[in-house]
Amino acid sequence: MATRARVRAPELIGKGGWLNTGDQEYTLADLRGRIVILDFWTFCCINCLHVLDELRELEEKHRDTVVIVGVHSPKFVHEAEHQAVVDAVERYQVHHPVLDDPELATWKQYAVRAWPTLVVIDPEGYIVAQHAGEGHAHAIARLVEELEAEHGAKGTLRRGDGPYVPPEPVASDLRFPGKAVVLPGSGNFLVSDSTRHELVELEPDGESVVRRVGGGAFNEPQGLALLPDGRVVVADTVNHALRVFDPVSGAVERVAGTGRQWWQGSPTSGPALEVDLSSPWDVAWWQGRVWIAMAGVHQLWTYDPESGTVEVAAGTTQEGLVDGPAAEAWFAQPSGLAATEDRLWVADAENSALRYVERSDAGYVVGTAVGTGLFDFGHRDGEAGQALLQHPLGVTALPDGSVAVSDTYNHALRRYDPASGEVTTLATDLREPSDAVLVGDDIVVVESARHRLTRLRLPEEAVRVDAVAHRTRREATEVAPGALQLDVVFQAPAGQKLDTRYGPSTRLIVSSTPAELLVSGEGTGTDLSRSLSLDPAVAEGVLHVSAMAASCDDDPANEYPACHVHQQDWGVPVRLVAGAAARLPLVLAGLDG
């Protein structure tokens, strides 16, 4: 196999310690002789959750030679809490050791710039590959096989059981429930029991189990919405599908999605059962259609039961906060929906924002009620323009025209009143609330991390809390003002080549927040390197970089080679400093020379 650069892997450091190891601490020396894959992730990040699923087959197939270590590297303040990481490891069924790194110490040592990033370390302790984003499992599997052969021959490969020790299972009726609806007639609650891959029907007390629905049909279901005929549409998140459940007959049927994850270049409209979806997180019935919070691609889609079709309704797949015509708007992991007569409210999680869609003479437009972008969040009430949320996952329409926001990482229920433009706090001391439903004068909150429904009386007076504001824990990258060379590093995996049969196989999209940061270099092109010019008058901002590359098996004898898409969106906070680096390398796949 080809000779690789010899870069010694830095040590694994994390103040939060190790999970899934039976309280055993590990160093890289302890793992010598094994192929180690570091997965830099944070549990808010939908792309990170996709990668967890991508790695499961490789993890099982090479369990005696490969050790995957999840390095949890928080974006939000809440994600730096150790118990929150413990909960996330169980919630997302992470079956490998996890290093809790709340201060991003290991992230900095490895110069990581994106969630998720995968780093492969050979049995002798050297870095041999780095990949950012999704779609790399096939390349890593090929590399693992090469490393097994190379180090097996050298005698440096050590086979055997890995360090993973599963935690003790916990008995409870619900486990990390996601969303809920009230069923007409009975008044029972239907709850998506996400970690157990089921729907659970509870009596009106919110505790007594009537029945469980699933039987292998669902995979981490989330959003639920009542259809006009009394059936319930379900966002079957990890199956990348919508299903409909009939509470009368008990039948479950798939109505949208193929089970495959949507990738760039896939159809964005058509017969619902023939179009791929990507991590639908919530659903709502509005204006005669099911609206879908398509968290995996930062868009809103619609499903029309009458015609049996789906289509994109809002968003470009670019991650960020941009208002305007629906086709030009940007979202960041929309995760909660609530419909009123004139607006569809959206909990835009990664933007820590409350957004909305409304109809104008020219079509649908997107606006923002609360929130400013990817890296500002906190718990601050008052005038909406300066109010702060932290990764909200749910929104609920209230009878007076205001909305309640399940402010998940603030463990609070917030309220936004469009009439006054004010944000207040309705309740605190909730544990990761992810949804809420109205029942008479009460509001029933899905306390996801307490595994229960909690009934609250809607207070007439808001709760007072001390205001806090946060920026992401991720440090800004210092770059020189003026000319900046942006290089997205992509090396086709071994045995593959760039797919140029139908034209360029790479794409690069660059923009900035604020827009004034980029004097030149914004826009879409096919070259993965680009010369940018940054305005020295703008002290700091965010560079939004989206890269995609397609590679195919390099086998001239195969008329139909297997092809793979590699893609990643970076939001890179930058600070302009005279004399700082004039080059910004972002690794999509390979190593930066």
Side-chain angles (χ1 to χ4, degrees):
M1 61 190 294
T3 303
R4 299 188 184 90
R6 303 282 282 175
V7 180
R8 176 67 72 178
E11 191 50 83
L12 304 179
I13 306 165
K15 192 174 181 181
W18 290 78
L19 305 175
N20 281 355
T21 63
D23 296 326
Q24 177 73 38
E25 301 277 324
Y26 282 92
T27 66
L28 281 177
D30 298 326
L31 303 176
R32 198 64 46 81
R34 312 299 289 272
I35 300 163
V36 177
I37 301 173
L38 303 182
D39 176 14
F40 289 87
W41 70 299
T42 187
F43 64 78
C44 71
C45 159
I46 190 68
N47 311 91
C48 300
L49 304 186
H50 290 167
V51 167
L52 283 175
D53 290 328
E54 286 180 7
L55 292 175
R56 293 189 198 280
E57 182 179 346
L58 181 146
E59 187 170 29
E60 187 58 39
K61 183 177 179 181
H62 300 274
R63 190 169 289 282
D64 66 333
T65 58
V66 171
V67 175
I68 297 177
V69 175
V71 183
H72 189 268
S73 312
K75 171 186 173 180
F76 290 99
V77 169
H78 169 59
E79 292 175 308
E81 297 176 14
H82 182 69
Q83 185 57 47
V85 182
V86 173
D87 288 344
V89 167
E90 180 190 351
R91 181 195 297 263
Y92 298 117
Q93 298 164 73
V94 180
H95 296 154
H96 50 250
V98 172
L99 177 65
D100 181 10
D101 182 18
E103 296 176 345
L104 301 181
T106 298
W107 165 288
K108 294 170 188 172
Q109 288 273 49
Y110 281 80
V112 174
R113 297 187 190 276
W115 297 278
T117 290
L118 298 168
V119 176
V120 181
I121 302 171
D122 73 13
E124 294 180 284
Y126 291 93
I127 296 173
V128 292
Q130 182 171 329
H131 302 264
E134 305 177 48
H136 303 294
H138 66 283
I140 293 177
R142 175 74 176 264
L143 177 58
V144 163
E145 290 173 356
E146 291 183 356
L147 290 171
E148 285 177 340
E150 177 187 353
H151 289 273
K154 287 175 65 176
T156 49
L157 182 69
R158 178 167 56 89
R159 295 179 179 269
D161 292 335
Y164 170 65
V165 178
E168 289 293 321
V170 180
S172 60
D173 289 328
L174 299 174
R175 205 70 193 162
F176 298 105
K179 309 282 186 181
V181 293
V182 178
L183 296 175
S186 66
N188 288 349
F189 294 99
L190 187 68
V191 184
S192 55
D193 197 23
S194 301
T195 297
R196 294 209 177 106
H197 315 296
E198 295 178 323
L199 308 182
V200 178
E201 185 177 344
L202 302 173
E203 291 183 6
D205 63 7
E207 297 179 3
S208 305
V209 176
V210 176
R211 59 176 161 171
R212 295 182 176 276
V213 180
F218 301 109
N219 194 346
E220 294 184 31
Q222 289 286 343
L224 307 168
L226 285 171
L227 297 174
D229 62 7
R231 297 184 302 159
V232 180
V233 61
V234 183
D236 191 6
T237 304
V238 175
N239 278 330
H240 308 296
L242 298 188
R243 299 185 193 275
V244 167
F245 165 60
D246 186 342
V248 177
S249 68
V252 176
E253 65 171 324
R254 178 171 57 91
V255 296
T258 63
R260 297 184 301 268
Q261 183 183 340
W262 186 94
W263 288 94
Q264 291 287 352
S266 301
T268 55
S269 64
L273 290 170
E274 299 175 16
V275 177
D276 299 341
L277 308 181
S278 182
S279 298
W281 205 275
D282 202 8
V283 281
W285 179 259
W286 189 55
Q287 299 200 342
R289 295 187 177 190
V290 175
W291 286 67
I292 309 164
M294 202 73 76
V297 285
H298 317 298
Q299 290 179 312
L300 303 180
W301 289 40
T302 59
Y303 161 63
D304 183 354
E306 192 78 20
S307 63
T309 57
V310 292
E311 64 181 356
V312 174
T316 66
T317 75
Q318 289 288 95
E319 184 179 13
L321 194 156
V322 176
D323 291 335
E328 301 170 15
W330 292 18
F331 296 91
Q333 217 167 294
S335 301
L337 301 174
T340 61
E341 186 174 342
D342 58 346
R343 277 184 174 177
L344 179 73
W345 293 96
V346 183
D348 200 18
E350 281 293 286
N351 277 323
S352 296
L354 174 64
R355 315 283 296 281
Y356 57 85
V357 181
E358 58 188 4
R359 190 146 208 157
S360 72
D361 293 339
Y364 290 112
V365 294
V366 175
T368 299
V370 183
T372 58
L374 288 167
F375 299 110
D376 291 293
F377 50 89
H379 192 149
R380 187 161 64 199
D381 287 334
E383 190 273 321
Q386 56 83 54
L388 294 171
L389 309 169
Q390 187 180 180
H391 198 80
L393 291 179
V395 59
T396 307
L398 299 179
D400 63 357
S402 66
V403 291
V405 179
S406 295
D407 193 6
T408 309
Y409 288 3
N410 279 329
H411 311 300
L413 191 67
R414 312 286 291 284
R415 176 177 177 262
Y416 168 68
D417 183 357
S420 66
E422 294 285 315
V423 174
T424 52
T425 298
L426 297 175
T428 58
D429 194 32
L430 302 167
R431 186 70 185 171
E432 293 192 20
S434 55
D435 195 21
V437 291
L438 282 174
V439 181
D441 293 330
D442 295 342
I443 190 164
V444 176
V445 180
V446 180
E447 274 199 275
S448 188
R450 283 201 178 114
H451 320 292
R452 70 187 188 191
L453 304 186
T454 299
R455 185 180 293 260
L456 304 172
R457 178 69 52 155
L458 275 173
E460 295 181 14
E461 296 295 327
V463 177
R464 284 193 61 85
V465 296
D466 293 331
V468 291
H470 300 292
R471 291 276 291 173
T472 178
R473 287 173 169 257
R474 176 183 175 183
E475 294 180 355
T477 299
E478 292 187 351
V479 296
L484 177 68
Q485 179 64 28
L486 172 66
D487 292 326
V488 173
V489 177
F490 178 76
Q491 294 151 7
Q496 296 182 27
K497 65 179 181 179
L498 287 174
D499 177 19
T500 56
R501 292 170 298 165
Y502 308 108
S505 61
T506 55
R507 187 186 68 177
L508 179 65
I509 304 173
V510 181
S511 62
S512 67
T513 305
E516 298 76 36
L517 174 64
L518 270 176
V519 177
S520 65
E522 73 281 357
T524 302
T526 57
D527 193 337
L528 291 181
S529 293
R530 189 177 301 178
S531 296
L532 311 180
S533 179
L534 306 184
D535 188 345
V538 180
E540 60 181 29
V542 179
L543 288 175
H544 302 281
V545 180
S546 178
M548 185 272 288
S551 62
C552 295
D553 292 345
D554 188 8
D555 180 3
N558 185 355
E559 187 178 355
Y560 303 104
C563 297
H564 311 276
V565 175
H566 316 255
Q567 66 182 43
Q568 171 63 11
D569 293 338
W570 290 268
V572 184
V574 294
R575 183 179 302 114
L576 274 56
V577 177
R583 176 177 179 263
L584 178 61
L586 300 175
V587 176
L588 178 60
L591 292 173
D592 180 25

